[in-house]
Amino acid sequence: MPSKNEFSPNRSRGDMNDNKDEQRFELEENGLLAWANYRIRDGVYVIPHVEADPPLRGTGAADRLMAAIVAHARANKLIIEPRCSYARIWFKRHPEACDVLA
């Protein structure tokens, strides 16, 4: 069993939060964050940057964040414009999610 400070990719996967004050989507896992900054331009959510705390990198946290952003966009009829290279590549790998793109 992992210690309190040790990362376990199967423990404490949270829901995505739209942190409007910081203008970013956040996914908390094990007390750590993966996030995607956004700014709203003409009703379009422009994503210039996606990042994860170092212990989350390579665990699929950013992938789960992007999937949650797409679900959120569909549920709220939002349009996404990925500017970040990670987000652009993610959408190329997930053509089923492209219905939310600008």
Side-chain angles (χ1 to χ4, degrees), residues 30-101:
N30 296 302
L32 302 167
L33 283 179
W35 67 92
N37 295 334
Y38 67 78
R39 60 184 181 275
I40 303 169
R41 187 178 335 161
D42 299 323
V44 175
Y45 282 67
V46 178
I47 298 177
H49 184 73
V50 176
E51 189 171 344
D53 284 334
L56 288 177
R57 294 176 189 166
T59 68
D63 176 72
R64 290 186 292 279
L65 171 65
M66 291 300 298
I69 290 169
V70 168
H72 178 73
R74 286 177 176 150
N76 294 283
K77 296 183 168 77
L78 306 178
I79 303 297
I80 304 292
E81 183 180 331
R83 292 278 176 95
C84 162
S85 59
Y86 176 84
R88 285 195 310 263
I89 290 168
W90 188 92
F91 277 103
K92 285 183 182 181
R93 291 179 181 162
H94 297 86
E96 74 281 2
C98 291
D99 59 300
V100 301
L101 293 180

Side-chain angles (χ1 to χ4, degrees), residues 11-44:
R11 202 178 84 209
S12 300
R13 288 194 178 151
D15 293 326
M16 197 260 325
N17 176 50
D18 181 357
N19 183 336
K20 294 179 189 323
D21 291 336
E22 296 288 328
Q23 288 196 322
R24 67 186 193 180
F25 297 112
E26 300 173 337
L27 179 69
E28 183 177 347
E29 295 187 357
N30 296 302
L32 302 167
L33 283 179
W35 67 92
N37 295 334
Y38 67 78
R39 60 184 181 275
I40 303 169
R41 187 178 335 161
D42 299 323
V44 175

